[in-house]
Amino acid sequence: MRSDLDLAACAKENIQHKVGTNLRMFINRLHTDFPPHWHNDVEIIWPKEAPYKVVCSNQTYDVEIDDILLICPAVLHEIFSPTPGSRIYIQADFSGIISLKEIDKAFRLMSPALHIKKKTCPPEIYSKVCDYLNKIMELYFGSAPPIRLRDGEKDDENVVLFSELPLYGELEIYSILLEFIAFCCKNISTFRESDSVSVSSAYKNTISLSNVCSYISEHFAENISLESIATYAGFSKYHFERIFSEYAGMTFYQYLQQMRINYAQTLLSNPELSITDISFQAGFASCTAFTRAFKKSTGYPPSQFRMLNEAKHPLTANPYFAKT
């Protein structure tokens, strides 16, 4: 699924953060599509009046009203707006925190995105997730009431964007975001199993699928196989392959490859690493296999993806993309 814009228009989004911070939050009321793009920020989308369709690394998410979608950093994604209506956006640069091993592990576990569905999420867990986001909104927007624009008036976030947070407000917001991410990872099996009623209860009593994904996130660069993971989970290869596909929405090897590609995207931001070095560090058997898989997933060969990052091309097709 692609927008009318050619994939060649895909670029890194230069996010214009709130003054003096690495954060940006806004209410998008535009009825428009966002062409393929990527950025270093975590992106949280929370539709309040209209749904979205989001494609992340070739996976499609139908994000309904009050659903929450967390898109991991450096993930190529495209957003479609079927109908008008407001959606809340939170963007936060985690590049300075990614050195924390558990943050990196968390993003690999959730990658390419985590979809929290209101209809199927247990109410107490959904309420807790919303509490985190509401606290962030209060800190970011302050006590000022939300501005409702008149019909036909251009949406403008400049007043909020160029106002300052209270002292240590950014630190408070990041602490809440860290709690939010930790809570999501601890409950990731709930979010992903809510739509998969066929996952056996016997499996849940043996080892949770989230623990399997956590194991993969720590060992994806190694030579692991379906057979070894099935043995780790305590099931036959064929039974594990079926329940894992139901849980993750893709096969084990697709999941493993996507995790390697997402890690490679992060490594490509380091100009001192060659494409060959990156291919082996990410767990690919050869540079050729890496290049083929990377281009299939992102639409770009690794070298071109790296050039886009270094050049920092802006997306000028949408007014919400910052200009250089």
Side-chain angles (χ1 to χ4, degrees), residues 97-300:
I97 311 175
I98 199 68
S99 58
L100 291 174
K101 290 184 178 180
E102 286 202 331
I103 283 291
D104 185 45
K105 175 182 175 180
F107 289 146
R108 291 201 301 265
L109 183 61
M110 294 186 290
S111 184
L114 178 64
H115 188 184
I116 302 173
K117 299 183 179 181
K118 182 181 181 181
K119 291 181 179 178
T120 55
C121 185
E124 66 279 4
I125 293 181
Y126 179 79
S127 177
K128 181 71 172 178
V129 167
C130 292
D131 285 344
Y132 286 124
L133 301 186
N134 284 324
K135 287 179 183 177
I136 292 171
M137 289 178 64
E138 290 175 12
L139 285 165
Y140 189 92
F141 291 116
S143 59
I147 300 172
R148 290 292 178 181
L149 301 177
R150 297 186 299 273
D151 291 342
E153 187 176 356
K154 185 178 179 181
D155 207 344
D156 192 351
E157 61 169 321
N158 287 342
V159 173
V160 174
L161 187 62
F162 293 105
S163 62
E164 294 186 2
L165 289 175
L167 186 64
Y168 302 118
E170 181 184 25
L171 190 60
E172 284 189 80
I173 289 175
Y174 268 97
S175 68
I176 296 170
L177 280 170
L178 288 170
E179 284 189 65
F180 171 78
I181 290 170
F183 183 80
C184 287
C185 289
K186 289 178 180 178
N187 292 277
I188 199 166
S189 60
T190 300
F191 300 138
R192 287 181 171 164
E193 289 174 11
S194 58
D195 289 332
S196 183
V197 296
S198 58
V199 176
S200 68
S201 58
Y203 177 79
K204 295 179 185 178
N205 293 331
T206 307
I207 183 170
S208 71
L209 282 163
S210 62
N211 284 343
V212 172
C213 291
S214 180
Y215 178 86
I216 297 171
S217 73
E218 294 178 353
H219 300 276
F220 67 90
E222 302 171 14
N223 185 25
I224 59 178
S225 64
L226 174 63
E227 291 79 3
S228 64
I229 292 296
T231 300
Y232 171 78
F235 283 92
S236 71
K237 179 179 75 171
Y238 302 103
H239 181 62
F240 174 77
E241 186 174 25
R242 179 179 63 81
I243 62 175
F244 185 88
S245 296
E246 291 173 349
Y247 171 79
M250 64 183 79
T251 68
F252 161 74
Y253 284 113
Q254 288 172 333
Y255 184 90
L256 177 63
Q257 179 164 283
Q258 192 58 55
M259 190 160 285
R260 289 171 171 172
I261 289 170
N262 292 338
Y263 182 57
Q265 288 178 342
T266 303
L267 295 178
L268 283 167
S269 63
N270 183 351
E272 296 182 359
L273 292 176
S274 69
I275 301 299
T276 300
D277 289 338
I278 291 171
S279 67
F280 288 116
Q281 286 191 37
F284 287 89
S286 68
C287 189
T288 302
F290 166 57
T291 300
R292 183 170 56 248
F294 192 93
K295 185 175 182 180
K296 183 178 180 180
S297 176
T298 68
Y300 289 103

Side-chain angles (χ1 to χ4, degrees), residues 1-3 34-37 45 52-63 69 71 75-80 112-113 297:
M1 186 175 188
R2 290 288 178 231
S3 68
F34 290 73
H37 64 284
I45 303 175
Y52 259 168
K53 183 181 289 291
V54 184
V55 179
C56 300
S57 297
N58 295 326
Q59 292 188 52
T60 300
Y61 301 87
D62 293 309
V63 189
L69 184 72
I71 303 172
V75 169
L76 187 71
H77 57 284
E78 185 174 7
I79 303 173
F80 299 87
S297 176

